[in-house]
Amino acid sequence: MLLGGWLGLAALGLAWGSPQQERGPLRDVGGVTHDHSEGFAYDHRAFLGAEEAKTFDQLTPEESQRRLGLLVGLIDADGNGGLTVEELGGWMERRHRRAQAEAVGRGRRRFDRDGDGAVSWHEYRHEAYGDPEEDFGGTQHPETYRRLLARDERRFRAADADGDGKAEGQELAAFLQPEDFEHMRPLVAMETLEDMDKDGDGFIQEDEYIAELYEGSPGAPEPPWVLGERSQFRGARDLDGDGRLGPDEVGHWLRPPSPGWARAEAQHLLHHADRDGDGVLTRAEVLGSWELFVGSRATTYGEDLGRPHDEL
């Protein structure tokens, strides 16, 4: 029997927290506000994609820099040796579209048992959880399975826009990657609250937020990056200043990317890495700010570099 539940949304936006930090004030560049006191996690996800960014720790800083240098050549569409805002933005948009298409393709291959191009709730339920008549009584944690099944069905029904009991195209994408879709934001916020609200009061307290990131020894001082996350909670997440996150605040935190997110992020990267201020990033400037782009974490550069240029 396979455990259902596609996304660890409780840690969405948290799991990529990084102890690497840049001193400096909150900046708003191109409509995107980044507080680098919380590290470069957002930049890594935007530049590399979430799945690749999660594997950064597998590479040494030297290897990360070497592979970043190779990627510069792939991003440089006109081959003139410099990266423009348009080239950086186009790169990130293509990576995002490809990641979404690959996730939908994997889901369709796994769950579309009759090959009609759509995934029905019955197909998903049977493949993810086993016999439809099974009440999970023979499992070690039946209540957990029942809760996950109910949660998956709730998400499926929300994504199934026409209500025909099948998810295809954008419906399937909304089911598998709900954080990318505005109409799924209330559900994403609800799931996140359910996961992180340990005391059941309907809110995410600061300590519950931190508990998703860090489990220190009793009495031990928290490392600086955790203190930075506490500051981020108070200054950017807790909008009404009451010391906790309600559904609307969680929804704001997990809002889907805006239509112009890629260009705005490209402007932000250029703002920080363009040492000579000419509006173009050279390979040396990218490598000079390598922590902003990739940090000391790893990515599936080997896979990227093996793809034809037009796939990237």
Side-chain angles (χ1 to χ4, degrees):
M1 182 181 298
L2 299 173
L3 182 65
W6 273 81
L7 296 172
L9 289 174
L12 185 63
L14 285 172
W16 298 284
S18 170
Q20 297 181 29
Q21 298 174 23
E22 173 184 307
R23 300 181 185 276
L26 184 71
R27 299 180 184 273
D28 189 336
V29 180
V32 173
T33 301
H34 296 319
D35 181 357
H36 277 167
S37 68
E38 66 167 327
F40 302 130
Y42 180 90
D43 304 298
H44 297 167
R45 295 197 302 276
F47 183 70
L48 299 165
E51 290 302 313
E52 290 87 343
K54 286 190 292 185
T55 65
F56 272 17
D57 285 334
Q58 297 176 17
L59 291 185
T60 64
E62 293 76 16
E63 181 64 8
S64 292
Q65 291 176 69
R66 185 186 73 82
R67 298 192 183 192
L68 174 61
L70 295 175
L71 279 185
V72 170
L74 297 180
I75 302 170
D76 182 15
D78 59 14
N80 69 352
L83 305 185
T84 64
V85 164
E86 289 72 22
E87 287 172 326
L88 279 168
W91 159 266
M92 289 185 284
E93 286 181 341
R94 290 194 300 274
R95 289 186 67 82
H96 184 76
R97 287 196 302 268
R98 191 187 78 203
Q100 186 179 91
E102 288 176 345
V104 171
R106 288 193 301 270
R108 186 182 296 112
R109 288 190 297 273
R110 179 179 174 189
F111 298 113
D112 180 16
R113 309 316 299 171
D114 62 9
D116 68 349
V119 175
S120 69
W121 169 247
H122 174 77
E123 287 174 318
Y124 174 81
R125 193 245 189 260
H126 189 277
E127 179 65 21
Y129 292 92
D131 185 350
E133 302 302 321
E134 170 69 56
D135 192 38
F136 310 117
T139 65
Q140 188 174 1
H141 302 287
E143 287 303 321
T144 298
Y145 279 91
R146 293 182 191 121
R147 178 177 58 83
L148 289 172
L149 175 60
R151 180 157 143 166
D152 275 359
E153 184 169 11
R154 182 179 65 190
R155 186 190 297 175
F156 189 94
R157 303 305 178 194
D160 180 17
D162 59 11
D164 66 352
K166 295 183 177 183
E168 56 186 323
Q170 288 297 96
E171 292 177 330
L172 187 56
F175 176 55
L176 302 182
Q177 297 185 309
E179 71 278 8
D180 280 348
F181 294 84
E182 180 65 39
H183 73 282
M184 299 292 284
R185 178 161 43 144
L187 182 63
V188 172
M190 184 187 306
E191 291 182 354
T192 303
L193 264 172
E194 290 171 350
D195 284 337
M196 298 177 69
D197 176 22
K198 303 304 182 185
D199 61 11
D201 68 347
F203 296 89
I204 299 174
Q205 311 292 336
E206 181 177 328
D207 285 342
E208 291 172 331
Y209 175 91
I210 295 299
E212 291 293 323
L213 282 172
Y214 174 74
E215 183 178 354
S217 302
E222 293 179 336
W225 70 268
V226 174
L227 298 178
E229 288 291 348
R230 288 192 180 278
S231 177
Q232 179 73 3
F233 179 92
R234 297 165 189 165
R237 309 281 191 233
D238 180 16
L239 301 179
D240 60 11
D242 66 354
R244 59 188 187 177
L245 306 185
D248 289 344
E249 289 167 316
V250 175
H252 183 268
W253 163 31
L254 303 177
R255 65 189 181 277
S258 64
W261 72 269
R263 181 177 179 84
E265 174 63 16
Q267 290 173 329
H268 168 77
L269 293 173
L270 191 142
H271 170 83
H272 284 280
D274 183 16
R275 302 298 174 86
D276 60 11
D278 67 350
V280 176
L281 293 182
T282 65
R283 182 178 183 275
E285 286 175 325
V286 171
L287 292 178
S289 297
W290 71 278
E291 290 176 303
L292 175 66
F293 290 89
V294 300
S296 61
R297 303 176 180 183
T299 186
T300 53
Y301 291 111
E303 176 184 337
D304 287 344
L305 294 170
R307 295 176 184 267
H309 195 172
D310 59 1
E311 290 186 24
L312 298 164

